[in-house]
Amino acid sequence: MMGNSEGFISRELAVRTLLQERGEELVVIGLGSPVWDCTSAGDHPLSFPLWGAMGSAAMVGLGLAIAQPDRRVIVVTGDGEMLMGLGSLATIGAQKTENLAIAVLDNERYGETGMQHTHTAHGVNLAEMAAAAGFSETIQARDEEALTRAVQMVRFGKGPVFAALKVAGAKSSLVLPPRDGVVLKTRFREALLGPDAVKE
Amino acid sequence: MNAQGNSETSPEWPTEIHEIFRSSGIRQVAYVPDSGHAELIRLCHADPGIVCLPLTSEEEGVGLLAGAWLGGQRGALLMQSSGVGNCVNLFSLAVNCRFPLLILVTMRGEWGEFNPAQVPMGRAVRPVIEQMGGTVHRADEPDAVKPTVEAAVKLAFNTSRFVAVTLGQKLIGAKSFSVK
């Protein structure tokens, strides 16, 4: 199943394509492999990686998107993390937040705990669930052509946008961002809000 | 002014909490509804300066308010006592990153409760929040609500801490099931 499987995009290519032309976007990263992947593609003060709080990535993105309506907010997370926060798809769908996009690196596995199947290995379609929840644009990408369209949608589509990127490939190399939550919070606020943010 | 929650006259304290939200710059209010919070929810929805949004489950609000703070906004989370149990692991996000987290909890399972299912979580609210590193302020009388919420707002946002205000069932009034 791993490797160059039919119908799956290289995990490394998916993350690189998603973040390579990154500009002003604010990025929230769900715990586990997506954090190592995104950090490997380049750590950034405007990335907020989660070390825990499984299931919360999409909601952190929503709060940020409401607070910063003129900035694009991209949540990058895994299928297991997204499955734990399915209710947040309904909450976001109801809010119709135009500057929020969610990109799920869907390898159909719990990558940090022994590669057990997630529900998406058994036919659960996250993109269709997001569409049913009221997301404006959704896509499930299984090849490089669809990946290109998905990344355009994530970066520029009218939100809320949801892209499930079906990925396979080598286990993520363990490139770690800072682990201290206060450091991650403070560097993000400083980069976004300016030096006075740390005095608040 | 009759401030008893179970009287026919509307109590003042929901209006007072809304005024504190306005004066302290709270811009996002998230909730899973409880009848004790109904008037405050109505006031927040009617306020163009506040984004007031319903959640499917209370723990969503902990993530939401972390994101709000990252983006430079203050928020508050409203829930019934049962919702505290849904949040427990998510409280680790606020505590670990020292996000200010203000939650207002309307209590069930205590003063004059009818429903036995409300009792275990009602009893567990304070110890659970304290075990997770939060501070609990409590109000049982109408006149105590305003100073208690004001103090909680200051502690939460001036010191970047997780602070809960529990609004006692004596204040809210026990839910009536019209049982003789």
Side-chain angles (χ1 to χ4, degrees):
Chain A
M1 201 66 197
M2 302 305 292
N4 298 317
S5 307
E6 185 75 15
F8 289 85
I9 306 159
S10 147
R11 181 179 191 102
E12 190 274 330
L13 176 69
V15 175
R16 184 156 42 83
T17 309
L18 199 56
L19 297 175
Q20 66 186 357
E21 290 175 33
R22 174 175 182 177
E24 293 286 292
E25 293 95 339
L26 312 177
V27 180
V28 175
I29 312 162
L31 87 178
S33 310
V35 170
W36 329 143
D37 293 326
C38 292
T39 309
S40 178
D43 191 22
H44 197 291
L46 291 177
S47 287
F48 186 75
L50 287 149
W51 281 93
M54 186 167 175
S56 71
M59 289 303 299
V60 175
L62 178 62
L64 181 56
I66 291 171
Q68 290 287 328
D70 297 329
R71 299 290 285 263
R72 190 73 172 181
V73 175
I74 300 174
V75 176
V76 183
T77 192
D79 44 309
E81 205 275 346
M82 191 69 249
L83 285 162
M84 197 176 277
L86 284 179
S88 59
L89 294 181
T91 297
I92 292 164
Q95 291 301 310
K96 310 226 178 309
T97 312
E98 293 186 9
N99 59 326
L100 178 61
I102 299 174
V104 173
L105 305 171
D106 182 358
N107 69 341
E108 306 183 350
R109 298 288 190 282
Y110 292 102
E112 297 297 307
T113 56
M115 298 302 278
Q116 300 90 345
H117 282 166
T118 66
H119 294 25
T120 64
H122 301 285
V124 173
N125 187 316
L126 289 168
E128 288 183 6
M129 295 182 92
F135 276 60
S136 302
E137 296 187 42
T138 65
I139 187 171
Q140 179 172 267
R142 287 190 172 277
D143 56 39
E144 292 186 24
E145 185 272 326
L147 172 65
T148 303
R149 279 189 289 127
V151 171
Q152 284 296 110
M153 192 185 287
V154 165
R155 295 193 63 203
F156 306 111
K158 184 182 173 186
V161 166
F162 188 98
L165 311 177
K166 287 290 191 176
V167 297
K171 191 170 165 57
S172 311
S173 50
L174 207 59
V175 182
L176 307 181
R179 274 179 296 168
D180 188 318
V182 177
V183 168
L184 294 166
K185 173 192 71 173
T186 304
R187 74 172 193 173
F188 188 100
R189 281 171 51 86
E190 230 177 346
L192 176 62
L193 305 168
D196 284 349
V198 298
K199 297 178 189 166
E200 201 174 342
Chain B
M1 182 188 95
N2 185 328
Q4 286 298 316
N6 52 359
S7 77
E8 290 182 7
T9 311
S10 297
E12 293 286 328
W13 57 263
T15 309
E16 291 171 344
I17 295 175
H18 176 240
E19 283 302 318
I20 295 167
F21 284 0
R22 289 178 63 95
S23 62
S24 59
I26 284 172
R27 302 288 305 281
Q28 296 190 32
V29 174
Y31 65 90
V32 172
D34 178 65
S35 56
H37 277 314
E39 176 63 8
L40 178 58
I41 290 167
R42 193 190 64 74
L43 290 166
C44 290
H45 270 299
D47 185 339
I50 291 175
V51 174
C52 183
L53 66 157
L55 310 167
T56 70
S57 181
E58 292 82 356
E59 70 263 33
E60 291 176 11
V62 181
L64 180 91
L65 297 187
W69 184 251
L70 285 176
Q73 284 192 342
R74 294 180 171 193
L77 175 56
L78 316 181
M79 67 182 74
Q80 185 191 84
S81 45
S82 50
V84 172
N86 291 347
C87 293
V88 177
N89 182 50
L90 271 290
F91 288 149
S92 66
L93 173 63
V95 172
N96 186 53
C97 298
R98 290 268 314 281
F99 282 113
L101 174 60
L102 175 67
I103 71 174
L104 305 186
V105 183
T106 43
M107 293 302 298
R108 294 287 307 272
E110 42 177 44
W111 189 270
E113 179 61 60
F114 168 81
N115 181 352
Q118 289 284 355
V119 176
M121 195 60 232
R123 289 178 55 85
V125 163
R126 176 183 286 271
V128 161
I129 290 171
E130 289 178 344
Q131 285 287 305
M132 288 307 296
T135 297
V136 180
H137 291 348
R138 182 177 172 98
D140 275 304
E141 303 296 335
D143 291 347
V145 174
K146 184 180 178 192
T148 305
V149 175
E150 282 174 341
V153 167
K154 286 178 184 167
L155 184 63
F157 295 104
N158 290 344
T159 76
S160 281
R161 303 286 166 174
F162 165 27
V163 184
V165 174
T166 55
L167 301 168
Q169 197 162 0
K170 187 179 178 186
L171 171 78
I172 309 295
K175 184 174 179 177
S176 171
F177 285 85
S178 301
V179 174
K180 296 283 187 275

